[in-house]
Amino acid sequence: MTTNQALVSHAGLTTLSDLLNALGFRKLCDNRLSQFVPALAVHRPGKMIADLSLMLAAGGEQVSDTDQLRTTQGLFGPVASDPTFSRFFSRISKHPGAFDYAFATMHRQVRAKLWAAAGKRNPAIRASRTNPLTIDIDASLVNVHSDKEGAKGNYKGGYGYSPMIAMADYGKTNGTGEVLAVRLRPGNKAANSAKDHISILTEALEQLPDEFYDEQTTLIGEKIMVRTDSAGATREFLKHVDSLGLQFSTSYTLPVVKERFVRWINQKKYWEPALTADGEHRNNAWVIDASKVIELNDYPPGTRIYLRAEPLHPGAKASLFDTDGNRVTAFLTNSPRYDPAFLDARHRARGRCENRIKSLKAAGLGKLPFASFAANQAWANLAMFALNLTLWLQLVVLPAGHQAGSWDLKRWRYRVWSMAGKLTKSGRQPRLLINDQTPEARLVTLLKEQINGLRQRWGVGSLRT
């Protein structure tokens, strides 16, 4: 059964389009990316990037999925055709360096504007020497199922890419964090490449707002901490981090030890209880500063090593270090804080970056649709921006402590973006109606009210994306 009523899907997605409108995104984006469309083209880069970002946030996987927006122009405005998008990516592929630079500068401007609007939750204001902004760096695998430029076999037997990703983590109570940079690499690239770690860190630092730089535009390194898994524990990378004045916390693969050291580990009287993520004492887990026992050669001055011991999980195989039924792991840090339990809990919070990588793959990184490496890199950048729109909504628009502040992207899709609505007109102006019995109707209303407040503060007119 069909109807001619103006029923629409993805009505909740208008909260993201409203946020883009309030930012003045189209004008900002056109200033940076106008070179990638003909001068007299009807569809401008700001509108096309906005539409692609909305489509990816809503769960689309390829350019043709923009038809979901195209069928409701009253809600999202005119949307370019698939051939127009194809020509756009073709131009990007011819000038990948120019697109990367233009997109990165646009991305930084948007971030700076939104962070400034976050008030007391602004990560730049909250960052300090003892409570630095954390930049997580990690590599992941993205498999492809056809021959694409730059795709290679990986160590797990798959075929595709191994992107390096840098993310900002500003705490689970403030929207959890966002993605700063994504760089595609062939699938056979090693995870512990110091050169690639340095490159992605450089891109991430360039994304930070002016508050992280002094009057001479010098990076205030003590306000930033770099956190990685053991792949980032190379001496070359840590020396680079230290040369910038940054703090670091990185997992460390323990070397073969002497028998006397194994016996010392078993003496739990020298250890102190570990903490949970909420700061409570954790049962059967201990932490200790082992810097005076384990010698670290050729690492940056001030590098310390901490050990953590906890019971082996059922079925886990014990290694040489796993004595007395405990699994022993280690991490390195040059942090100015010396509380082992606090440093351990902060390092273990690195697990949050794995959730962000899952969301980033769900936002488009998991299925790269083009044969061209440059076009897929541009797609990865769009996936990052689409995910960040949701994360910025949590940081800037949602009130502090709101339960939706910790939702991941898939939950937003199911509960908000996919919400149905009806288009009507009042005074020749389109209006979107949402059933007030919909579980998240109040949330959508709250978001729109907050975004209208931002629009008034920024002095941006109300335009459809």
Side-chain angles (χ1 to χ4, degrees):
M1 182 179 295
T2 61
T3 179
N4 60 1
Q5 296 185 62
L7 305 178
V8 295
S9 62
H10 298 99
L13 198 62
T14 55
T15 53
L16 290 185
S17 62
D18 287 348
L19 180 60
L20 290 172
N21 290 334
L23 281 164
F25 178 75
R26 266 193 274 180
K27 181 178 179 180
L28 175 63
C29 200
D30 288 350
N31 289 341
R32 297 291 180 181
L33 297 159
S34 59
Q35 60 184 302
F36 297 101
V37 297
L40 300 178
V42 173
H43 296 286
R44 308 307 302 169
K47 181 64 167 67
M48 288 195 286
I49 286 180
D51 289 337
L52 289 168
S53 299
L54 293 178
M55 177 269 293
L56 289 171
E61 296 181 343
Q62 52 192 355
V63 170
S64 60
D65 288 335
T66 53
D67 59 359
Q68 292 292 318
L69 308 180
R70 195 176 298 115
T71 55
T72 53
Q73 292 191 17
L75 202 60
F76 300 105
V79 178
S81 65
D82 291 349
T84 300
F85 281 120
S86 179
R87 290 190 293 270
F88 180 58
F89 279 99
S90 178
R91 294 187 186 94
I92 290 173
S93 298
K94 294 177 182 177
H95 306 282
F99 179 82
D100 283 350
Y101 177 77
F103 190 91
T105 53
M106 177 275 294
H107 198 199
R108 183 180 187 270
Q109 282 188 277
V110 172
R111 173 176 290 105
K113 190 171 185 177
L114 285 166
W115 280 21
K120 294 181 179 179
R121 290 191 287 170
N122 183 343
I125 293 176
R126 297 176 65 248
S128 66
R129 182 171 180 268
T130 56
N131 185 35
L133 175 74
T134 299
I135 297 180
D136 286 307
I137 297 178
D138 203 357
S140 188
L141 295 176
V142 174
N143 288 321
V144 299
H145 303 287
S146 62
D147 194 20
K148 298 177 184 290
E149 183 182 0
K152 299 291 182 180
N154 59 53
Y155 70 96
K156 287 190 174 181
Y159 179 79
Y161 301 98
S162 176
M164 191 72 78
I165 306 163
M167 299 150 279
D169 185 334
Y170 36 75
K172 64 180 183 179
T173 60
N174 294 289
T176 73
E178 62 194 66
V179 184
L180 297 174
V182 181
R183 185 56 49 190
L184 285 187
R185 306 182 306 159
N188 59 356
K189 275 281 191 175
N192 62 348
S193 167
K195 180 180 178 180
D196 290 341
H197 274 80
I198 292 172
S199 177
I200 196 68
L201 175 61
T202 301
E203 290 188 46
L205 294 176
E206 290 173 349
Q207 283 295 309
L208 298 181
D210 292 340
E211 288 87 348
F212 287 94
Y213 296 83
D214 61 20
E215 295 178 354
Q216 288 75 40
T217 68
T218 301
L219 182 69
I220 307 174
E222 64 179 13
K223 296 174 62 175
I224 303 165
M225 182 183 74
V226 179
R227 188 170 59 191
T228 74
D229 58 11
S230 58
T234 60
R235 291 172 175 82
E236 181 182 352
F237 176 61
L238 294 185
K239 287 179 179 178
H240 175 76
V241 172
D242 184 69
S243 71
L244 297 175
L246 309 180
Q247 300 178 43
F248 60 79
S249 179
T250 176
S251 299
Y252 180 68
T253 302
L254 288 165
V256 176
V257 295
K258 298 179 181 179
E259 184 181 356
R260 63 176 179 81
F261 182 61
V262 175
R263 290 198 301 268
W264 175 77
I265 287 178
N266 291 336
Q267 300 298 316
K268 293 301 184 294
K269 63 182 180 180
Y270 299 116
W271 299 57
E272 63 179 86
L275 298 177
T276 66
D278 297 322
E280 303 293 333
H281 284 298
R282 183 185 179 97
N283 293 330
N284 295 325
W286 305 269
V287 190
I288 193 170
D289 183 347
S291 304
K292 294 182 180 180
V293 180
I294 301 180
E295 184 178 1
L296 296 173
N297 296 317
D298 201 26
Y299 279 92
T303 301
R304 306 186 306 280
I305 181 170
Y306 290 86
L307 303 182
R308 175 190 176 89
E310 59 184 333
L312 284 168
H313 297 295
K317 293 183 179 180
S319 66
L320 175 62
F321 260 100
D322 301 331
T323 62
D324 196 27
N326 292 306
R327 167 63 44 87
V328 179
T329 55
F331 68 95
L332 306 178
T333 185
N334 64 347
S335 174
R337 301 183 67 161
Y338 289 84
D339 179 2
F342 168 82
L343 294 173
D344 172 70
R346 186 173 69 177
H347 182 72
R348 286 174 61 81
R350 201 192 72 83
R352 286 199 290 265
C353 81
E354 302 292 345
N355 294 330
R356 277 190 290 277
I357 291 176
K358 289 180 182 178
S359 291
L360 181 59
K361 289 182 176 181
L365 182 64
K367 292 190 177 180
L368 302 169
F370 301 102
S372 163
F373 185 91
N376 281 329
Q377 175 61 60
W379 186 265
N381 288 338
L382 289 171
M384 169 177 61
F385 188 74
L387 174 60
N388 282 346
L389 280 176
T390 304
L391 299 173
W392 288 328
L393 199 72
Q394 294 173 309
L395 173 68
V396 181
V397 181
L398 273 179
H402 195 284
Q403 63 175 2
S406 59
W407 288 0
D408 64 9
L409 179 62
K410 289 186 177 181
R411 188 168 177 84
W412 277 97
R413 285 175 180 169
Y414 184 75
R415 299 195 66 83
V416 181
W417 306 157
S418 61
M419 189 178 297
K422 181 177 181 180
L423 276 177
T424 64
K425 282 190 176 182
S426 177
R428 297 186 179 181
Q429 295 296 320
R431 295 181 61 193
L432 175 64
L433 303 180
I434 297 175
N435 188 333
D436 60 5
Q437 300 301 312
T438 303
E440 304 304 339
R442 291 186 179 180
L443 173 58
V444 171
T445 301
L446 172 64
L447 292 173
K448 287 181 173 291
E449 290 174 350
Q450 296 286 96
I451 292 171
N452 282 334
L454 290 175
R455 179 184 287 112
Q456 294 171 9
R457 188 193 312 179
W458 290 328
V460 178
S462 178
L463 295 172
R464 286 179 297 173
T465 304

